[in-house]
Amino acid sequence: MITAIVTACASILIAIIAYWLNHQGESRRSRREARIDRVSSQLKDLYGPLLVLTETNEKAWSEYCKRYITPTGEGPASIPLSELEEARWRTWVEAVFAPTAQKMREVITTRGDLIVEGEMPPVVLEFCAHAATYDALLANWDGAGPSKSTLVRHPGSRFLSYVRESYGSLKAEHALLLKAAREENRIGFQQ
């Protein structure tokens, strides 16, 4: 009789331990899948598009500077422009810089919930303020004054660095999460 009771208790204990281990494994897998989904969304919906737009804008600005800004480093915001230079600058602002900045601002404002940090980074807010001032510049181009530049300056390389670093760290985390999920699935299939 005692043997039967001990055997029954051992069986119940083994069942409880197996259930608890299975539950822990499922919880861990569920958390990992949720994290994979979150990181995937951050890459697909925020940092991926933002990186492409930022890199595109950076390349366009670099080419504009090489071709049209004087060797002393003076550009549209520093010296009065000739009529031809102003027309060229306006074309670039209207066709390239403003639309790209506005797309980036739209991505940030619609998907800001996917920002990596707990709160909006100051450099992102600075960029959004810069992008917003394009609206006023374009609406009042003729009255904008000799510089024809935005009221809030672009944060420069700090914004590009932020986007690149955030994208890179998310890609690395995504790869590690997917590798861990594959390994877990492989181990699960072997058991």
Side-chain angles (χ1 to χ4, degrees), residues 5-187:
I5 292 174
V6 169
T7 302
C9 288
S11 297
I12 291 170
L13 183 60
I14 289 171
I16 290 171
I17 291 172
Y19 172 80
W20 183 80
L21 289 173
N22 186 46
H23 177 72
Q24 291 300 313
E26 286 299 317
S27 293
R28 196 172 39 255
R29 187 175 10 265
S30 179
R31 284 191 303 274
R32 183 176 23 259
E33 286 175 9
R35 184 67 189 150
I36 289 171
D37 290 345
R38 170 85 175 159
V39 171
S40 294
S41 186
Q42 287 175 305
L43 288 167
K44 179 177 71 82
D45 298 328
L46 179 63
Y47 289 100
L50 197 55
L51 180 66
V52 170
L53 290 166
T54 303
E55 292 285 359
T56 301
N57 200 56
E58 184 67 19
K59 179 70 174 163
W61 175 249
S62 176
E63 290 303 314
Y64 180 87
C65 289
K66 275 194 250 180
R67 182 141 193 180
Y68 301 119
I69 294 185
T70 61
T72 60
E74 296 176 338
S78 306
I79 58 173
L81 303 175
S82 70
E83 197 172 303
L84 174 64
E85 290 169 326
E86 184 176 325
R88 182 185 307 122
W89 175 239
R90 183 175 187 162
T91 298
W92 276 77
V93 167
E94 290 176 341
V96 180
F97 303 130
T100 305
Q102 290 163 339
K103 286 177 188 171
M104 287 188 273
R105 183 181 68 179
E106 178 72 18
V107 167
I108 293 166
T109 57
T110 59
R111 298 314 317 243
D113 60 310
L114 297 173
I115 289 286
V116 173
E117 294 82 4
E119 55 187 57
M120 193 64 67
V123 71
V124 174
L125 295 174
E126 287 174 46
F127 173 79
C128 287
H130 164 74
T133 63
Y134 271 120
D135 297 338
L137 175 64
L138 294 174
N140 187 29
W141 187 268
D142 293 327
S147 72
K148 306 289 195 249
S149 66
T150 57
L151 186 60
V152 177
R153 303 288 297 170
H154 188 285
S157 62
R158 293 180 305 120
F159 182 67
L160 179 60
S161 295
Y162 168 78
V163 174
R164 283 178 178 165
E165 290 168 13
S166 297
Y167 182 84
S169 66
L170 283 170
K171 281 297 279 185
E173 180 181 359
H174 194 250
L176 288 173
L177 288 167
L178 291 176
K179 181 181 178 186
R182 279 192 302 273
E183 287 175 4
E184 185 175 300
N185 287 338
R186 184 179 50 80
I187 291 169

